[in-house]
Amino acid sequence: MINILIVDDEELFRIMLKEMVEREGHQARTAANGNEALKAVQKQRPDLIITDILMPEKDGIELIAELSRNGSQIPIIAISGGRRSISLEFNLESAALMGVRATLPKPFTREALRRALADALAH
């Protein structure tokens, strides 16, 4: 069973995504921002991280960068819905340039999540 850490500042989205991941047969834990995610990774290393890009305190790009600096090989799926001033395409392209395994624009379907999970775990 794959252990997945879900990082998103929107509580309802976090809960929904956790349920989707668990319906796919995986275990899931959640964190509300990059700082919480780093603590969760130190406590128990996940097999995969799904992280939003735009979050308060420590955003997804900062989380990805810090994990990379620490030599982490944990596969990452980046998700983003964008904001008025920053497009989701820019966020996801930035994450892709940092080496994430897959990207998903919000909102996404369960099938798109399945494909992203398969892509991220296949490498």
Side-chain angles (χ1 to χ4, degrees):
M1 187 177 300
I2 304 296
N3 180 359
I4 299 173
L5 176 61
I6 297 165
V7 189
D8 198 295
D9 59 318
E10 296 176 41
E11 184 178 11
L12 290 176
F13 185 81
R14 237 184 3 254
I15 291 166
M16 183 228 22
L17 186 52
K18 182 178 189 288
E19 288 176 9
M20 287 174 75
V21 163
E22 288 173 344
R23 285 187 189 144
E24 294 301 316
H26 307 299
Q27 290 181 329
R29 297 179 294 144
T30 64
N33 59 57
N35 287 328
E36 285 184 19
L38 289 170
K39 289 176 187 169
V41 168
Q42 289 174 349
K43 192 173 185 180
Q44 180 186 358
R45 184 188 183 281
D47 300 310
L48 175 75
I49 297 172
I50 301 173
T51 185
D52 191 19
I53 297 299
L54 298 175
M55 298 179 288
E57 293 187 42
K58 185 179 290 280
D59 68 25
I61 295 295
E62 293 169 316
L63 171 62
I64 294 164
E66 189 157 340
L67 289 168
S68 179
R69 277 193 305 272
N70 293 337
S72 172
Q73 297 297 311
I74 301 169
I76 298 173
I77 297 173
I79 57 177
S80 182
R83 294 280 198 273
R84 287 186 189 128
S85 61
I86 304 172
S87 73
L88 68 91
E89 292 86 5
F90 175 82
N91 290 333
L92 296 177
E93 286 173 16
S94 298
L97 290 170
M98 296 182 74
V100 300
R101 299 269 177 95
T103 60
L104 280 172
K106 289 180 184 178
F108 50 82
T109 65
R110 191 166 172 185
E111 184 54 38
L113 175 63
R114 276 190 200 114
R115 282 193 307 272
L117 289 169
D119 289 348
L121 295 169
H123 286 79

